[in-house]
Amino acid sequence: MFRRKLTALDYHNPGGFDCKDETQYRNCVVWLEDQKIRHYKIEDRGNLRNIPSSGWPEAYQKYLQDLNCPFGLQEKQEAVDWLLGLAVRYEYGDNDKYKNCKPLAASSNSDKAVDPLLNLDGNCPDFKAGVTALANILKIQRHDDYLVMLKAIRILIQERLSPEAIAKASQNKEGIPVTLDKHVLGFDTGDATLNEAAQILRLLHIEELRELQTRINEAIVAVQAIIADPKTDHRLGKVGR
């Protein structure tokens, strides 16, 4: 998936680059900084160039942060693809030959440029068989449009079968003992059992409201962070992109 960008940057082995190979990955990052991006001064690249060091991940994480990269240490493929895109922009952005090129005509359906599922051949027998097999394993309802089924499979995997979703679902929340006598219900149903049930429902509702407020606060903080930290291209001397 990186071959075209690596070729454009004259990388020594664009076809053989393996992102999963840690040594190749680190060498590629250092090569991009040394040859194309040049964000650090030469004397400041020592930690990043020390590829065998156990402290390299920390230096790399700091490097990504200094570049305002939206991806982190664990997102290897996304991060290196972003670095390659940045390097390509620095390599060709100031070249008048490419500045004068006319942009390609926009596609009538913009989704085709962003959704890879639309580029698949929905009439291919192997594609249909594969989607059907996945749908049967995941117990997803059949649909006449196999692309629709594939989208449903993708949504299910992202929401329930991703490592993050599985880790969140497997977390055991330890409850805190609550004495119902200390909580005033505010009304009387005339039945002690119903009163206790109503108290429990009220406490659960309050807990849900607290969780909702926490998520709202997190969303507000995230938006404020984006507004307060515009992307800066120090080479162009401009703030924002």
Side-chain angles (χ1 to χ4, degrees):
M1 62 181 293
F2 310 112
R3 182 176 57 83
R4 293 178 64 185
K5 291 180 181 178
L6 289 170
T7 301
L9 294 170
D10 294 326
Y11 191 66
H12 64 278
N13 186 20
F17 174 68
D18 183 5
C19 183
K20 297 180 180 179
D21 186 299
E22 188 65 22
T23 301
Q24 290 191 40
Y25 183 83
R26 295 185 181 188
N27 277 315
C28 182
V29 170
V30 174
W31 182 84
L32 286 173
E33 169 59 17
D34 281 342
Q35 302 297 325
K36 306 298 178 180
I37 299 176
R38 302 185 182 93
H39 181 75
Y40 288 158
K41 295 180 179 178
I42 295 178
E43 58 270 21
D44 296 333
R45 300 174 191 171
N47 293 333
L48 197 64
R49 285 176 169 176
N50 192 6
I51 293 175
S53 171
S54 59
W56 191 89
E58 289 76 13
Y60 177 50
Q61 179 65 39
K62 183 179 183 303
Y63 177 63
L64 294 177
Q65 293 174 351
D66 291 343
L67 288 174
N68 289 323
C69 177
F71 304 106
L73 185 64
Q74 303 302 324
E75 301 164 300
K76 295 180 62 175
Q77 291 189 355
E78 293 85 352
V80 75
D81 186 62
W82 188 89
L83 290 174
L84 288 170
L86 181 65
V88 169
R89 182 162 65 87
Y90 286 161
E91 183 77 1
Y92 298 99
D94 296 330
N95 193 320
D96 293 335
K97 174 182 177 181
Y98 301 100
K99 285 183 178 180
N100 297 328
C101 290
K102 295 182 179 180
L104 295 175
S107 173
S108 59
N109 188 349
S110 59
D111 290 340
K112 291 183 179 180
V114 297
D115 192 347
L117 297 183
L118 295 178
N119 294 324
L120 296 174
D121 183 5
N123 295 320
C124 176
D126 292 336
F127 171 76
K128 291 181 178 180
V131 172
T132 302
L134 283 174
N136 292 336
I137 293 173
L138 299 174
K139 297 181 180 179
I140 292 178
Q141 185 177 358
R142 295 286 298 274
H143 193 279
D144 293 336
D145 191 333
Y146 286 85
L147 289 175
V148 172
M149 272 205 301
L150 184 58
K151 289 181 180 180
I153 292 171
R154 180 178 65 178
I155 292 173
L156 176 64
I157 292 175
Q158 288 175 341
E159 293 184 351
R160 298 189 181 181
L161 300 180
S162 65
E164 294 80 8
I166 294 175
K168 184 177 180 180
S170 62
Q171 291 177 353
N172 295 324
K173 296 183 179 179
E174 296 183 0
I176 301 175
V178 176
T179 304
L180 294 179
D181 296 339
K182 295 182 179 180
H183 297 273
V184 180
L185 180 59
F187 60 89
D188 187 5
T189 64
D191 186 289
T193 303
L194 287 178
N195 285 342
E196 289 187 357
Q199 284 178 309
I200 293 172
L201 290 174
R202 171 167 286 185
L203 292 173
L204 291 174
H205 179 59
I206 292 174
E207 179 64 23
E208 290 179 349
L209 290 177
R210 288 175 177 172
E211 184 177 353
L212 176 61
Q213 185 62 53
T214 299
R215 293 183 179 180
I216 292 174
N217 293 339
E218 291 175 351
I220 293 174
V221 172
V223 172
Q224 289 176 340
I226 294 174
I227 295 174
D229 183 24
K231 303 298 182 182
T232 303
D233 188 342
H234 66 283
R235 295 172 181 269
L236 299 178
K238 297 179 180 179
V239 177
R241 292 183 182 173

